[in-house]
Coordinates of all heavy atoms in Angstrom, one line a residue:
M108 N 0.8 -1.2 0.0 CA 0.0 0.0 0.0 C 0.9 1.2 0.0 O 2.0 1.2 0.5 CB -0.9 0.0 1.2 CG -1.7 1.2 1.4 SD -2.7 1.1 2.8 CE -3.5 2.6 2.6
S109 N 0.4 2.3 -0.6 CA 1.1 3.6 -0.6 C 1.1 4.2 0.8 O 0.4 3.8 1.7 CB 0.5 4.5 -1.6 OG -0.8 4.8 -1.3
E110 N 1.9 5.3 0.9 CA 2.0 6.0 2.2 C 0.6 6.5 2.6 O -0.2 6.9 1.8 CB 2.9 7.2 2.0 CG 4.3 6.8 1.7 CD 5.2 6.7 2.9 OE1 4.9 7.4 3.9 OE2 6.2 6.1 2.8
F111 N 0.4 6.5 3.9 CA -0.8 7.1 4.4 C -0.5 7.9 5.7 O 0.5 7.7 6.3 CB -2.0 6.1 4.6 CG -1.8 5.0 5.6 CD1 -2.2 5.2 6.9 CD2 -1.2 3.8 5.2 CE1 -2.0 4.1 7.8 CE2 -1.0 2.8 6.0 CZ -1.4 2.9 7.3
V112 N -1.5 8.7 6.1 CA -1.3 9.6 7.2 C -2.4 9.3 8.2 O -3.6 9.1 7.8 CB -1.4 11.1 6.8 CG1 -1.3 12.0 8.0 CG2 -0.4 11.4 5.7
V113 N -2.1 9.2 9.5 CA -3.1 9.0 10.5 C -3.7 10.3 10.9 O -3.0 11.3 11.2 CB -2.5 8.3 11.8 CG1 -3.5 8.1 12.9 CG2 -1.8 7.0 11.4
V114 N -5.1 10.3 10.9 CA -5.8 11.6 11.3 C -6.9 11.2 12.3 O -7.4 10.1 12.4 CB -6.5 12.2 10.0 CG1 -5.4 12.8 9.1 CG2 -7.4 11.3 9.3
Y115 N -7.2 12.2 13.1 CA -8.2 12.1 14.2 C -9.4 12.8 13.8 O -9.4 14.0 13.5 CB -7.7 12.7 15.5 CG -6.5 11.9 16.1 CD1 -5.5 12.6 16.8 CD2 -6.3 10.6 16.0 CE1 -4.4 12.0 17.3 CE2 -5.2 9.9 16.5 CZ -4.3 10.6 17.2 OH -3.2 10.0 17.7
E116 N -10.6 12.1 13.9 CA -11.9 12.8 13.8 C -12.2 13.3 15.2 O -12.1 12.5 16.2 CB -12.9 11.7 13.4 CG -14.3 12.3 13.3 CD -15.3 11.2 12.8 OE1 -14.9 10.1 12.3 OE2 -16.5 11.4 13.1
L117 N -12.4 14.5 15.4 CA -12.5 15.1 16.7 C -14.0 15.2 17.2 O -14.9 15.4 16.4 CB -11.9 16.5 16.7 CG -10.4 16.6 16.3 CD1 -10.0 18.0 16.2 CD2 -9.6 15.8 17.3
G118 N -14.1 15.1 18.5 CA -15.5 15.2 19.1 C -15.6 16.5 19.9 O -14.8 17.4 19.7
E119 N -16.5 16.5 20.8 CA -16.7 17.6 21.7 C -15.5 17.9 22.5 O -14.8 16.9 22.9 CB -17.9 17.4 22.6 CG -19.2 17.3 21.8 CD -19.5 18.6 21.0 OE1 -19.4 19.7 21.6 OE2 -20.0 18.5 19.9
P120 N -15.2 19.1 22.9 CA -14.1 19.4 23.8 C -14.2 18.7 25.1 O -15.3 18.7 25.7 CB -14.1 20.9 23.9 CG -14.9 21.4 22.7 CD -15.9 20.3 22.4
A121 N -13.1 18.2 25.6 CA -13.1 17.6 26.9 C -12.8 18.7 27.9 O -12.6 19.8 27.5 CB -12.0 16.5 27.0
E122 N -12.8 18.3 29.2 CA -12.5 19.4 30.2 C -11.1 19.9 29.9 O -10.2 19.2 29.5 CB -12.5 18.7 31.6 CG -13.9 18.5 32.0 CD -14.0 18.1 33.5 OE1 -13.2 18.7 34.3 OE2 -14.8 17.2 33.8
G123 N -10.9 21.2 30.0 CA -9.7 21.8 29.6 C -9.7 22.4 28.2 O -8.7 23.0 27.8
G124 N -10.8 22.2 27.5 CA -10.9 22.8 26.2 C -10.4 22.1 25.0 O -10.7 22.5 23.9
E125 N -9.6 21.0 25.2 CA -9.1 20.3 24.0 C -10.2 19.3 23.5 O -10.8 18.7 24.3 CB -7.9 19.4 24.5 CG -6.6 20.2 24.6 CD -6.1 20.9 23.3 OE1 -6.1 20.2 22.3 OE2 -5.9 22.1 23.4
P126 N -10.3 19.3 22.2 CA -11.3 18.4 21.6 C -10.9 16.9 21.8 O -9.7 16.6 21.9 CB -11.3 18.7 20.1 CG -10.3 19.8 19.9 CD -9.7 20.1 21.2
S127 N -11.9 16.1 22.0 CA -11.6 14.7 22.3 C -11.4 14.0 20.9 O -12.0 14.4 19.9 CB -12.7 14.0 23.1 OG -13.9 14.1 22.4
V128 N -10.7 12.9 20.9 CA -10.6 12.1 19.7 C -11.8 11.1 19.6 O -12.1 10.4 20.6 CB -9.3 11.2 19.6 CG1 -9.3 10.3 18.4 CG2 -8.1 12.2 19.6
R129 N -12.6 11.3 18.6 CA -13.8 10.4 18.5 C -13.5 9.1 17.7 O -14.0 8.1 18.0 CB -14.9 11.2 17.7 CG -16.2 10.4 17.6 CD -17.3 11.0 16.9 NE -17.2 12.5 16.8 CZ -18.0 13.2 16.1 NH1 -19.1 12.7 15.5 NH2 -17.8 14.5 16.0
R130 N -12.7 9.3 16.6 CA -12.4 8.1 15.8 C -11.0 8.4 15.2 O -10.6 9.5 14.9 CB -13.4 8.0 14.7 CG -13.3 6.8 13.8 CD -13.6 5.5 14.5 NE -15.0 5.2 14.6 CZ -15.5 4.2 15.3 NH1 -14.8 3.5 16.0 NH2 -16.8 4.0 15.3
V131 N -10.2 7.3 15.0 CA -8.9 7.3 14.3 C -9.0 6.8 12.9 O -9.6 5.7 12.7 CB -7.9 6.5 15.1 CG1 -6.5 6.6 14.5 CG2 -7.8 7.0 16.6
H132 N -8.6 7.6 11.9 CA -8.7 7.2 10.5 C -7.3 7.2 9.9 O -6.4 7.8 10.4 CB -9.6 8.2 9.8 CG -11.0 8.2 10.2 ND1 -11.9 7.3 9.7 CD2 -11.7 9.0 11.0 CE1 -13.1 7.6 10.3 NE2 -13.0 8.6 11.1
A133 N -7.2 6.6 8.7 CA -6.0 6.6 7.9 C -6.5 7.3 6.6 O -7.5 7.0 6.0 CB -5.5 5.2 7.6
A134 N -5.6 8.2 6.0 CA -5.9 8.8 4.8 C -4.6 8.7 3.9 O -3.5 8.7 4.4 CB -6.2 10.3 5.0
P135 N -4.8 8.5 2.6 CA -3.7 8.5 1.7 C -3.0 9.8 1.8 O -3.6 10.9 2.0 CB -4.3 8.3 0.3 CG -5.7 7.8 0.5 CD -6.1 8.3 1.9
A136 N -1.6 9.8 1.7 CA -0.9 11.0 1.7 C -1.1 11.8 0.5 O -1.4 11.2 -0.6 CB 0.6 10.7 1.9
A137 N -1.1 13.1 0.6 CA -1.3 14.0 -0.6 C -0.1 13.7 -1.5 O 1.0 13.5 -1.1 CB -1.4 15.4 -0.2
P138 N -0.4 13.8 -2.8 CA 0.7 13.6 -3.8 C 1.9 14.5 -3.5 O 1.8 15.7 -3.4 CB 0.1 14.0 -5.1 CG -1.4 13.8 -4.9 CD -1.6 14.2 -3.5
G139 N 3.1 13.8 -3.4 CA 4.3 14.5 -3.2 C 4.5 15.1 -1.8 O 5.5 15.8 -1.5
M140 N 3.6 14.8 -0.8 CA 3.7 15.3 0.5 C 3.4 14.2 1.5 O 2.2 14.0 1.9 CB 2.7 16.4 0.7 CG 2.9 17.5 -0.4 SD 1.6 18.8 -0.2 CE 2.4 19.9 1.0
T141 N 4.3 13.5 2.0 CA 4.1 12.3 2.8 C 3.5 12.6 4.2 O 3.0 11.7 4.8 CB 5.4 11.5 3.0 OG1 6.4 12.4 3.6 CG2 5.9 11.0 1.7
A142 N 3.6 13.9 4.6 CA 3.1 14.2 6.0 C 1.7 14.9 5.9 O 1.2 15.3 6.9 CB 4.1 15.1 6.7
V143 N 1.2 15.1 4.7 CA -0.1 15.8 4.6 C -1.2 14.8 4.1 O -1.0 14.1 3.1 CB 0.0 16.9 3.6 CG1 -1.3 17.6 3.3 CG2 1.1 17.9 4.0
P144 N -2.3 14.7 4.8 CA -3.3 13.8 4.4 C -4.0 14.3 3.1 O -4.2 15.5 2.9 CB -4.3 13.8 5.5 CG -4.1 15.1 6.3 CD -2.7 15.4 6.1
G145 N -4.4 13.4 2.3 CA -5.2 13.7 1.1 C -6.6 14.1 1.6 O -6.9 14.2 2.8
P146 N -7.5 14.4 0.6 CA -8.9 15.0 1.0 C -9.8 14.0 1.6 O -10.8 14.4 2.2 CB -9.4 15.4 -0.4 CG -8.7 14.6 -1.4 CD -7.3 14.3 -0.8
R147 N -9.6 12.7 1.5 CA -10.5 11.7 2.0 C -9.7 10.6 2.7 O -8.6 10.2 2.3 CB -11.3 11.0 0.9 CG -12.1 12.0 0.1 CD -13.6 11.7 0.3 NE -14.4 12.7 -0.3 CZ -15.3 13.4 0.4 NH1 -15.5 13.2 1.6 NH2 -16.0 14.3 -0.2
T148 N -10.4 10.0 3.8 CA -9.8 8.9 4.5 C -9.9 7.6 3.7 O -10.7 7.6 2.6 CB -10.5 8.7 5.8 OG1 -11.8 8.4 5.6 CG2 -10.4 9.9 6.7
L149 N -9.4 6.6 4.1 CA -9.5 5.3 3.4 C -10.9 4.8 3.4 O -11.3 4.0 2.6 CB -8.6 4.2 4.0 CG -7.1 4.5 3.9 CD1 -6.3 3.4 4.6 CD2 -6.6 4.7 2.5
C150 N -11.7 5.2 4.4 CA -13.2 4.8 4.5 C -14.1 5.9 3.7 O -15.3 5.7 3.7 CB -13.6 4.7 5.9 SG -13.7 6.2 6.9
G151 N -13.5 6.9 3.2 CA -14.2 7.9 2.4 C -14.7 9.1 3.1 O -15.3 10.0 2.5
R152 N -14.3 9.3 4.3 CA -14.7 10.6 5.0 C -13.8 11.7 4.6 O -12.6 11.6 4.3 CB -14.6 10.4 6.5 CG -15.6 9.5 7.1 CD -15.6 9.5 8.6 NE -16.7 8.7 9.1 CZ -17.9 9.3 9.5 NH1 -18.1 10.6 9.4 NH2 -18.8 8.5 10.0
D153 N -14.3 12.9 4.7 CA -13.6 14.2 4.4 C -12.6 14.4 5.5 O -12.9 14.4 6.6 CB -14.6 15.3 4.2 CG -14.0 16.6 3.8 OD1 -12.8 16.7 3.7 OD2 -14.8 17.5 3.4
T154 N -11.3 14.7 5.1 CA -10.3 15.0 6.2 C -10.2 16.5 6.5 O -9.4 16.8 7.4 CB -8.9 14.5 5.7 OG1 -8.6 15.3 4.5 CG2 -8.9 13.1 5.4
F155 N -11.0 17.3 5.9 CA -10.9 18.8 6.2 C -10.9 19.2 7.6 O -10.0 19.9 8.1 CB -12.0 19.5 5.4 CG -12.0 21.0 5.7 CD1 -11.0 21.8 5.1 CD2 -12.9 21.6 6.5 CE1 -11.0 23.2 5.3 CE2 -12.9 23.0 6.8 CZ -11.9 23.8 6.2
A156 N -11.8 18.6 8.4 CA -11.9 19.0 9.8 C -11.2 18.1 10.8 O -11.3 18.2 12.0 CB -13.4 19.1 10.2
M157 N -10.4 17.2 10.2 CA -9.6 16.2 11.0 C -8.3 16.8 11.3 O -7.7 17.6 10.6 CB -9.5 14.9 10.3 CG -10.9 14.2 10.2 SD -10.7 12.5 9.6 CE -12.4 12.1 9.3
R158 N -7.7 16.3 12.4 CA -6.4 16.7 12.9 C -5.4 15.6 12.6 O -5.6 14.4 12.9 CB -6.4 17.1 14.4 CG -5.0 17.6 14.9 CD -5.1 18.0 16.3 NE -5.3 16.8 17.1 CZ -5.8 16.8 18.4 NH1 -6.2 17.9 18.9 NH2 -6.0 15.7 19.0
R159 N -4.2 15.9 12.1 CA -3.2 15.0 11.8 C -2.6 14.5 13.2 O -2.4 15.3 14.0 CB -2.1 15.6 11.0 CG -0.9 14.7 10.7 CD 0.2 15.4 9.9 NE 1.3 14.6 9.7 CZ 2.3 14.4 10.5 NH1 2.3 15.0 11.7 NH2 3.3 13.6 10.2
A160 N -2.5 13.2 13.3 CA -1.9 12.6 14.5 C -0.4 12.9 14.6 O 0.3 12.9 13.5 CB -2.2 11.1 14.6
S161 N 0.1 13.1 15.8 CA 1.6 13.3 15.9 C 2.3 12.0 15.6 O 3.4 12.0 15.1 CB 1.9 13.8 17.2 OG 1.5 13.0 18.3
R162 N 1.7 10.8 16.0 CA 2.4 9.5 15.7 C 1.9 9.0 14.4 O 0.7 9.0 14.1 CB 2.0 8.5 16.8 CG 2.6 7.2 16.6 CD 2.0 6.2 17.6 NE 2.7 4.9 17.5 CZ 2.4 3.9 16.7 NH1 1.5 4.1 15.8 NH2 3.0 2.8 16.7
Q163 N 2.8 8.7 13.5 CA 2.5 8.2 12.2 C 2.9 6.8 12.0 O 3.7 6.3 12.8 CB 3.1 9.1 11.1 CG 2.6 10.6 11.1 CD 1.1 10.6 10.8 OE1 0.6 10.0 9.9 NE2 0.3 11.2 11.7
P164 N 2.4 6.1 11.0 CA 2.7 4.7 10.8 C 4.2 4.4 10.8 O 4.9 5.1 10.1 CB 2.0 4.3 9.5 CG 1.0 5.4 9.3 CD 1.5 6.6 10.0
P165 N 4.7 3.4 11.5 CA 6.1 3.1 11.5 C 6.6 2.5 10.2 O 7.8 2.5 9.9 CB 6.2 2.1 12.7 CG 4.9 1.5 12.8 CD 3.9 2.5 12.4
G166 N 5.7 1.9 9.4 CA 6.1 1.3 8.1 C 6.8 -0.1 8.3 O 7.5 -0.5 7.4
Q167 N 6.7 -0.7 9.5 CA 7.3 -2.0 9.7 C 6.2 -3.0 9.7 O 5.2 -2.8 10.3 CB 8.0 -2.0 11.0 CG 9.1 -1.0 11.1 CD 9.6 -0.7 12.5 OE1 8.8 -0.9 13.5 NE2 10.7 -0.1 12.7
P168 N 6.4 -4.1 9.0 CA 5.4 -5.2 8.9 C 5.0 -5.6 10.4 O 5.9 -5.8 11.2 CB 6.1 -6.3 8.2 CG 7.1 -5.6 7.4 CD 7.6 -4.5 8.2
G169 N 3.7 -5.8 10.6 CA 3.2 -6.2 11.9 C 3.0 -5.1 12.9 O 2.5 -5.4 14.0
S170 N 3.5 -3.9 12.6 CA 3.3 -2.8 13.5 C 1.9 -2.2 13.3 O 1.5 -2.0 12.2 CB 4.4 -1.7 13.3 OG 5.6 -2.3 13.5
A171 N 1.3 -1.8 14.4 CA 0.0 -1.1 14.3 C 0.3 0.3 13.7 O 1.2 1.0 13.9 CB -0.6 -0.9 15.7
W172 N -0.6 0.7 12.8 CA -0.5 2.0 12.1 C -1.0 3.1 13.0 O -0.8 4.3 12.7 CB -1.2 2.0 10.8 CG -2.7 1.6 10.8 CD1 -3.2 0.4 10.7 CD2 -3.8 2.5 11.0 NE1 -4.6 0.5 10.8 CE2 -5.0 1.8 10.9 CE3 -3.9 3.9 11.2 CZ2 -6.2 2.3 11.1 CZ3 -5.1 4.5 11.3 CH2 -6.3 3.7 11.3
Y173 N -1.7 2.8 14.0 CA -2.3 3.8 14.9 C -1.6 3.8 16.3 O -0.9 2.8 16.6 CB -3.8 3.6 15.1 CG -4.1 2.1 15.4 CD1 -4.1 1.7 16.8 CD2 -4.4 1.2 14.4 CE1 -4.3 0.4 17.1 CE2 -4.6 -0.1 14.8 CZ -4.6 -0.5 16.1 OH -4.8 -1.8 16.4
D174 N -1.8 4.8 17.1 CA -1.3 4.9 18.4 C -2.1 3.9 19.3 O -3.3 4.0 19.3 CB -1.5 6.3 19.0 CG -0.8 6.6 20.3 OD1 -0.7 5.6 21.1 OD2 -0.4 7.7 20.5
P175 N -1.4 3.0 20.0 CA -2.1 2.0 20.7 C -3.1 2.5 21.8 O -4.1 1.8 22.1 CB -1.0 1.2 21.4 CG 0.2 1.4 20.5 CD 0.0 2.8 20.0
Q176 N -2.9 3.7 22.3 CA -3.8 4.3 23.3 C -5.2 4.5 22.6 O -6.2 4.7 23.4 CB -3.3 5.5 23.9 CG -3.4 6.8 23.1 CD -2.9 8.0 23.8 OE1 -1.9 7.9 24.5 NE2 -3.5 9.1 23.6
Y177 N -5.3 4.6 21.3 CA -6.5 4.8 20.6 C -7.1 3.6 19.9 O -7.9 3.7 19.1 CB -6.4 6.0 19.6 CG -6.1 7.3 20.2 CD1 -4.9 8.0 20.0 CD2 -7.0 7.9 21.1 CE1 -4.7 9.2 20.5 CE2 -6.8 9.1 21.7 CZ -5.6 9.8 21.4 OH -5.3 11.0 22.0
A178 N -6.6 2.4 20.3 CA -7.0 1.2 19.6 C -8.5 1.0 19.6 O -9.0 0.5 18.6 CB -6.3 0.0 20.3
S179 N -9.2 1.3 20.6 CA -10.6 1.1 20.7 C -11.4 2.2 19.8 O -12.6 2.0 19.6 CB -11.2 1.2 22.1 OG -11.0 2.6 22.6
L180 N -10.7 3.2 19.3 CA -11.3 4.2 18.5 C -11.0 4.1 17.0 O -11.4 5.0 16.2 CB -10.9 5.6 19.0 CG -11.3 5.9 20.5 CD1 -10.7 7.2 20.9 CD2 -12.8 5.9 20.7
V181 N -10.3 3.1 16.6 CA -9.9 2.9 15.2 C -11.1 2.6 14.3 O -11.9 1.7 14.6 CB -8.8 1.8 15.1 CG1 -8.5 1.5 13.6 CG2 -7.5 2.3 15.8
C182 N -11.2 3.3 13.2 CA -12.2 3.1 12.2 C -12.0 1.7 11.6 O -10.9 1.4 11.1 CB -12.2 4.1 11.1 SG -13.2 3.8 9.7
P183 N -13.0 0.8 11.7 CA -12.8 -0.6 11.2 C -12.5 -0.6 9.7 O -11.7 -1.4 9.2 CB -14.1 -1.3 11.5 CG -14.8 -0.4 12.5 CD -14.3 1.0 12.4
A184 N -13.2 0.3 8.9 CA -13.0 0.3 7.5 C -11.6 0.8 7.1 O -10.9 0.2 6.2 CB -14.0 1.2 6.8
C185 N -11.1 1.8 7.8 CA -9.7 2.3 7.6 C -8.7 1.2 8.0 O -7.7 1.0 7.3 CB -9.4 3.5 8.4 SG -10.2 5.0 7.7
D186 N -9.0 0.5 9.1 CA -8.1 -0.6 9.6 C -8.0 -1.7 8.5 O -6.9 -2.2 8.2 CB -8.6 -1.1 10.9 CG -7.5 -1.9 11.7 OD1 -6.3 -1.7 11.5 OD2 -7.9 -2.8 12.4
D187 N -9.2 -2.1 8.0 CA -9.2 -3.1 7.0 C -8.4 -2.7 5.7 O -7.6 -3.4 5.2 CB -10.6 -3.5 6.5 CG -11.4 -4.3 7.6 OD1 -10.7 -4.8 8.5 OD2 -12.6 -4.4 7.5
A188 N -8.6 -1.4 5.3 CA -7.9 -0.9 4.1 C -6.4 -0.7 4.3 O -5.6 -0.9 3.4 CB -8.5 0.4 3.7
A189 N -6.0 -0.3 5.6 CA -4.6 -0.1 5.9 C -3.8 -1.4 6.0 O -2.6 -1.4 5.9 CB -4.5 0.8 7.1
G190 N -4.5 -2.4 6.4 CA -3.8 -3.7 6.6 C -3.0 -3.6 7.9 O -3.3 -2.9 8.8
D191 N -1.9 -4.4 8.0 CA -1.2 -4.4 9.2 C 0.1 -3.6 9.2 O 1.1 -4.0 9.8 CB -0.9 -5.9 9.6 CG -0.1 -6.6 8.5 OD1 0.3 -6.0 7.5 OD2 0.2 -7.8 8.7
G192 N 0.1 -2.6 8.4 CA 1.3 -1.7 8.3 C 2.1 -2.0 7.2 O 2.8 -1.6 6.5

């Protein structure tokens, strides 16, 4: 699979004013820009209002493409499309 960028779909602000992460998605990288997400996630959602995750896929076989602390929030469609890294 080509390079992709991990992005967070944000929810309502948590205490302290920071938005909470509602769902973790993967988006193809924009052409020629490996750190910038393209316009749509692998599941087809618009990335405009999403925030790029600070942790990006390690690119090693068998490694999770998402931050383990958000494992319960990973989009199943993006996970299927992203494979296992």
Side-chain angles (χ1 to χ4, degrees):
M108 175 178 181
S109 62
E110 297 263 338
F111 63 92
V112 179
V113 179
V114 291
Y115 296 145
E116 179 181 343
L117 301 176
E119 295 297 317
E122 288 191 36
E125 283 296 311
S127 61
V128 174
R129 182 180 345 173
R130 186 68 86 190
V131 179
H132 295 276
M140 305 175 88
T141 59
V143 177
R147 300 246 173 235
T148 63
L149 297 178
C150 68
R152 290 188 173 263
D153 187 348
T154 61
F155 177 74
M157 294 187 188
R158 182 177 69 201
R159 182 183 176 274
S161 58
R162 181 187 186 277
Q163 293 301 308
Q167 299 163 340
S170 298
W172 57 268
Y173 49 85
D174 189 329
Q176 80 179 37
Y177 294 119
S179 66
L180 301 175
V181 171
C182 169
C185 286
D186 195 28
D187 286 345
D191 60 2

